[in-house]
Amino acid sequence: MKKPIVIANWKMKLSAKQSSFLAKDFKKSLKNFKDQDIVVCPSDISLTDVGSILKKSNIKLGAQNMFWEEFGAYTGESSSAVLKEVGCDYVILGHSERRQYLGETNDMVNKKIDRALDSNLVPIICIGETKDERHDGLTDNVLYHQLKECLNSVHLIVGEKIIVAYEPVWAIGSGDVVDADEAERVFELINQVLIDIYPLTIVRNNVRMIYGGGIDSSNISSFSDIKLLDGFLVGGASLDTNKFKDIITAL
Ligand code: PGA
């Protein structure tokens, strides 16, 4: 395992005040974790406040989305420069909720990844199959195309990091997780696709692979033997400091 990473995705579930409150609690309660990277992704409106609370802590800041252009008439969007300005080091891209409700495509995610890397942000690239796709035996095909298209012409140079988050859409928010053997098989597939795209040294040193979807402290132990797994993207369980702490402790 590379340095493990646990990412809190607070989605649109907290008010600005609640986000600041939880960030302060995280800062206090998670301060002794030095062997794991911890990232908090609040909603855009809370990035500035949460960023200033977490400054000089062991917890890094991430955004939940970003636009691919640098500047201009793009109502409602945030640029990579602004994310950097408020202290972000990471950005979630292509989350299934954005794909589902906002029409985000692999092509859009691809442009965002390029911009994130140019701006010194680590993209957390989300891929995952829906329940129907899994049922129809299309899981591998879907993941292959998502990964290939999202990473199309994305050149990773030494030092540029990416994170691939496998998040089965049907597991998100469900309390169900993918079976550990199946997760292991999927991570091997993802690893193989990455090796097709990049030199082995780049895959080993620049890419982390994480799981998301239904993770909490009660099911995390089932993932402990997956060799290629470098961490977790956590939604619901990241809204409670103790639950989130249990997940980090279990890594
Ligand atoms: P969940 O969400 O942990 O609530 O399933 C994960 C995610 O959507 O990133």
Side-chain angles (χ1 to χ4, degrees), residues 7 9 11 13 92 95-97 126 167 171-176 212-216 233-238:
I7 302 163
N9 177 9
K11 307 195 180 188
K13 296 209 172 172
I92 298 174
H95 192 281
S96 62
E97 286 148 14
C126 298
E167 296 209 300
I172 293 174
S174 70
D176 272 344
I215 277 292
D216 64 29
L233 178 53
V234 187
S238 74

